[in-house]
Amino acid sequence: MSSAPSVVVIGGGPRGTGVIERIAANAGELYGDQRLDIHLVDPHPVGGGRIWRPDQSPLLWMNSMAEDVTMFTDETVELAGPVVTGPALDAWAEDVRAGRVVPDADPAVLAEIHGLRGADFPTRRLQSAYLRWTYDRALATLPPGITVHEHRTTALAVTGARGERQRVRLQDRAEPLLADLVVLTVGHLDAEKDPEQEELGAFARRHELVHLPPDFTADSDLAALRPGEPVIVRGFGLAFIDLMVLLTEGRGGRHEDGVYLPSGREPVLYVGSRRGVPHHAKIGYGWTGERPPLPRYADQAWADELLSRTGPVDFRRDVWPAVAKELGHAHYHRLFSAHPERTALAHEVFAEKYAAADPGSAELAGIVAEAVPDPADRLDLDALDRPLDGVRLDSPEALQEALRDYITADLTRRHDPAHSEDLAVFLGLLSAYAQLVRLGDIGDRWHGFFSYLASGPPGPRLHQLLALSRAGFVRFLGADLTVEKDEERGVFRATSATVPGAHTEARALVEARLPDPSLRHTASPLLRALRDDGAAVTETGLLSVDPADSRVLDRAGRPHPRRFALGPFTTARSSGAFTRPRTGGPAFRQNDAAARAALTFLRDLSCRGCPVDQGRGHDARHGTSPRCRNARIAPR
């Protein structure tokens, strides 16, 4: 066994890849030419991991255009380590076409790459090739003393005292991996069924029905959904879009000139949700001209002030007002600068009045009404968030027409640069996210709102949804969807507030959403063991981590010196492990901070005779050993 220090990275998807890229970027400064073994543990292919693995249907797309996807830092990312630039997905595809890059991909994926352009929505298997290439490039830039060992298996537990090497137990190996540090980048994981899902599953078994609980759609067993039969689908986000595609085109149907041509093997999907509408379409145009100065209200000073308070942060009271004002600032800055003919005040006059007014106040509403004559040009976040609130229709058919009109209007607006204030709001959302990740667990409302407004499906998918609706293979149920169990009839029954008195019965129910990332209900033995070993878990079930460097916190609030965690299961969950270029990428900043903390810790371990604070780093007397590379490191 190697005598070199070791790091075990658990999770080989884009987050784990990003951590290794940051280790490579920072090793020269912080670790020099010393030896280090990195063990990467994941049962799925490294680079893409489970969600972006290459063996997926070519019908499953990303929900971002190729030009909006990068795994590399740029000057907009706030980080202590060096910026290492690299190609966004569309530029990488151009490199492949020019022969500058030879990716590890099969012929079908290579054909996709050769046809890819910046405004295209790539398949997930194409993204897998890009992620694998990013991983291989990171390995190639590691110093000679650092070696990566891949383990295609599952990590079951991490044990070990705070001041000792950690032991990582693997599924198919008798002896554990020994690690000086462990980094958890496990991404989205399965969950145990909550009480409601247990009841629904038991009901389905009693009556020989089909119940598919929350899952990554590509892994769901859809064969049980039979042709021609009604299926109640609860959830109208990206998981539903995947489900829709796999049960229509995936069963041999075709879309031609806006018309769906069925194969005869499709079920009929009755879909509803809390909002009752699909997520907003991805914006289909690029940015031109002046960008709004962001952040303006939800900035670092604002976040610092919130963090300095005693007691918990309340999202509705403490966070949302600043976020709403930030989004309004982005919206109106763009409206006044790019579309001044639709405003009635000088921009500087409006900006001064807007800055002085309280968020959500009657004064602010009056200022906006005075300056922006057309209500369609005003930002109404409540209407955006819940468009069916208060809407009551007298028949299911009226709802089908109303929803088709709504989706058509959304598609038209999201592809019209005359409404470029919508893109400014998107940039405002990204700017706010960069600060909100510092606040810890602020509940699910923010993440749900962000996904609904900023991370919806590609426009072509909503055109397909409209075609399927017209053909009768998708039926809309409305908002505030409720699913009941009818023991007497042995069916699921769905009702909605949008069409009072109407109901839909079916022998199949699909929960179209990812499992909850809560550690309270996780099916991961690794995260359960971490929770049971004393790691702090918030009320909503997120793993508590130090926002400075992503070290895992214990229940006393102490950072574990040898355990790090990054991803959607933590209090520092960001909007994604990759992002669009030149938008700051909070995940990149987190990866960099964790990598630098890990390298500093490992370097300090090798400095024999140097005083160390419980493996956390040198104290003020650091520098007494000739092996230390820095003269002094200030204590944290």
Side-chain angles (χ1 to χ4, degrees), residues 199-412:
E199 290 181 13
L200 290 168
F203 173 74
R205 289 189 293 274
R206 285 196 302 275
H207 295 279
E208 297 183 340
L209 310 180
V210 176
H211 171 241
L212 299 183
D215 197 2
F216 179 46
T217 307
D219 292 336
S220 295
D221 181 11
L222 304 183
L225 303 177
R226 294 182 292 197
E229 292 203 353
V231 177
I232 296 171
V233 182
R234 185 156 54 175
F236 217 161
L238 297 178
F240 166 75
I241 297 297
D242 287 349
L243 181 76
M244 176 191 84
V245 170
L246 292 175
L247 290 174
T248 54
E249 288 182 274
R251 291 191 173 184
R254 304 192 319 277
H255 289 274
E256 290 186 8
D257 299 323
V259 176
Y260 181 69
L261 305 177
S263 68
R265 297 192 291 130
E266 300 88 348
V268 180
L269 305 180
Y270 288 79
V271 57
S273 65
R274 182 174 65 88
R275 292 187 180 93
V277 297
H279 288 191
H280 285 281
K282 277 284 186 174
I283 293 174
Y285 52 85
W287 186 270
T288 59
E290 178 188 2
R291 285 182 176 241
L294 299 168
R296 173 67 175 81
Y297 299 98
D299 59 6
Q300 182 174 339
W302 166 78
D304 289 343
E305 193 278 326
L306 280 183
L307 291 169
S308 70
R309 298 180 188 178
T310 58
V313 173
D314 181 86
F315 178 80
R316 174 58 71 177
R317 180 194 65 215
D318 303 321
V319 178
W320 180 247
V323 171
K325 197 162 185 182
E326 186 75 68
L327 299 183
H329 163 68
H331 175 98
Y332 293 115
H333 183 279
R334 180 63 178 181
L335 187 69
F336 276 84
S337 61
H339 313 291
E341 71 281 0
R342 292 169 13 215
T343 65
L345 277 182
H347 189 187
E348 60 272 15
V349 173
F350 171 81
E352 182 178 351
K353 290 183 176 183
Y354 184 88
D358 291 333
S361 65
E363 178 190 7
L364 184 61
I367 292 166
V368 170
E370 176 190 7
V372 183
D374 187 348
D377 288 329
R378 302 171 195 164
L379 181 64
D380 187 338
L381 293 173
D382 289 336
L384 276 173
D385 189 28
R386 297 297 298 268
L388 294 184
D389 264 13
V391 174
R392 299 293 180 265
L393 299 172
D394 58 10
S395 72
E397 289 307 318
L399 175 61
Q400 309 313 303
E401 291 293 335
L403 258 290
R404 284 195 287 266
D405 288 345
Y406 168 85
I407 295 167
T408 299
D410 181 60
L411 277 165
T412 300

Side-chain angles (χ1 to χ4, degrees), residues 493-635:
R493 180 179 293 107
T495 59
S496 161
T498 311
V499 187
H503 70 272
T504 298
E505 294 181 351
R507 297 183 60 81
L509 169 66
V510 177
E511 306 284 6
R513 65 183 185 275
L514 285 172
D516 188 339
S518 170
L519 266 69
R520 300 191 187 281
H521 304 292
T522 181
S524 164
L526 172 70
L527 294 184
R528 286 203 303 265
L530 199 70
R531 176 195 66 198
D532 296 343
D533 194 37
V537 177
T538 68
E539 289 187 4
T540 62
L542 298 178
L543 179 67
S544 294
V545 297
D546 187 335
D549 58 18
S550 297
R551 277 185 163 99
V552 175
L553 301 178
D554 67 15
R555 290 166 193 156
R558 296 182 305 165
H560 196 293
R562 295 173 182 263
R563 297 178 184 175
F564 296 76
L566 303 103
F569 60 98
T570 73
T571 53
R573 55 178 172 167
S574 62
S575 57
F578 45 80
T579 186
R580 67 167 49 196
R582 303 189 55 74
T583 56
F588 297 162
R589 182 182 71 224
Q590 294 168 347
N591 295 346
D592 186 72
R596 289 178 67 84
L599 289 167
T600 300
F601 175 91
L602 294 165
R603 181 199 63 208
D604 293 353
L605 280 181
S606 71
C607 296
R608 305 303 180 190
C610 292
V612 174
D613 175 20
Q614 293 295 312
R616 190 68 199 267
H618 289 272
D619 66 14
R621 295 167 291 165
H622 175 77
T624 60
S625 166
R627 297 186 65 186
C628 296
R629 300 189 69 248
N630 292 337
R632 295 177 71 84
I633 294 180

Side-chain angles (χ1 to χ4, degrees), residues 142-158:
L142 286 166
I146 300 181
T147 304
V148 174
H149 311 266
E150 297 176 11
H151 304 268
R152 288 288 296 273
T153 186
T154 300
L156 299 178
V158 177

Side-chain angles (χ1 to χ4, degrees), residues 423-498:
L423 184 52
V425 170
F426 172 79
L427 297 177
L429 286 163
L430 293 180
S431 175
Y433 219 126
Q435 297 304 323
L436 266 61
V437 295
R438 302 176 55 218
L439 301 180
D441 186 0
I442 56 175
D444 292 331
R445 185 178 185 277
W446 163 249
H447 300 281
F449 177 76
F450 179 91
S451 296
Y452 165 71
L453 194 58
S455 190
R461 289 304 194 206
L462 291 183
H463 282 293
Q464 292 174 351
L465 172 61
L466 289 172
L468 288 165
S469 171
R470 290 189 291 267
F473 293 102
V474 172
R475 299 278 296 175
F476 306 122
L477 293 177
D480 298 316
L481 184 71
T482 299
V483 177
E484 300 171 340
K485 307 180 296 293
D486 187 326
E487 290 282 2
E488 183 176 342
R489 292 177 53 79
V491 293
F492 297 108
R493 180 179 293 107
T495 59
S496 161
T498 311

